[in-house]
Amino acid sequence: MKSAARFLAVIVTITATCRLGAAEQAETLRLEVAAPKADCLDVPLCAVIELPKSLADMPADQIAVTLRQTSPDSSRIYGNLTPGQLIKTSQGKAELWWVAPSLRKADGQTAWTAVIKRAEKPVKETFSWQDNKGEYL
């Protein structure tokens, strides 16, 4: 069995605030993630978002998403860019998925900034999860 700290299923609360940057035709989302009950590594996160009108009719593989962890007041940036993936829902919204390298209980609420824009070329690689019984908690 792999280390229990490698992945721990966590229920988090995510809220989003949107801002559209007209110059780049990109949308910037601020996502707030509630602190987990235990320290976690490589945590898959998901937020249901509404796409901007300029991207709403595009296939998901033509939309690029990058995320970066920030301080709660967005004054500091932490870590590297993290890729995200969109999955469109039948209700006209989208699920934004990404993997947080770590979430620590002591940090409390964390914040992420996501930039969503038209991809330069269609996204070929996508993330998927395969649950192997007994390998993860």
Side-chain angles (χ1 to χ4, degrees):
M1 181 186 278
K2 292 188 180 183
S3 168
R6 178 87 176 128
F7 173 78
L8 179 63
V10 180
I11 298 175
V12 295
T13 303
I14 300 174
T15 57
T17 307
C18 306
R19 186 180 79 225
L20 181 61
E24 296 179 348
Q25 290 299 316
E27 180 163 337
T28 302
L29 296 173
R30 179 172 155 65
L31 304 160
E32 296 176 356
V33 179
K37 293 183 179 182
D39 293 351
C40 307
L41 296 174
D42 298 328
V43 183
L45 298 172
C46 178
V48 177
I49 63 170
E50 190 168 333
L51 291 171
K53 291 180 183 178
S54 62
L55 300 174
D57 294 329
M58 294 183 77
D61 68 349
Q62 293 180 13
I63 301 172
V65 182
T66 54
L67 298 105
R68 190 165 242 165
Q69 188 173 359
T70 63
S71 60
D73 64 358
S74 297
S75 64
R76 299 181 73 192
I77 297 173
Y78 304 109
N80 298 320
L81 284 175
T82 301
Q85 179 179 338
L86 287 176
I87 299 172
K88 290 196 168 184
T89 67
S90 59
Q91 295 82 23
K93 296 192 180 206
E95 292 179 354
L96 170 57
W97 286 88
W98 75 101
V99 177
S102 68
L103 293 176
R104 296 180 343 140
K105 180 180 179 180
D107 291 340
Q109 181 173 311
T110 59
W112 292 77
T113 299
V115 176
I116 303 172
K117 63 183 181 178
R118 182 184 307 263
E120 292 179 19
K121 54 185 174 183
V123 178
K124 298 291 182 196
E125 295 181 21
T126 59
F127 173 82
S128 65
W129 175 259
Q130 177 68 37
D131 185 18
N132 299 322
K133 274 200 164 187
E135 204 169 330
Y136 303 98
L137 291 178

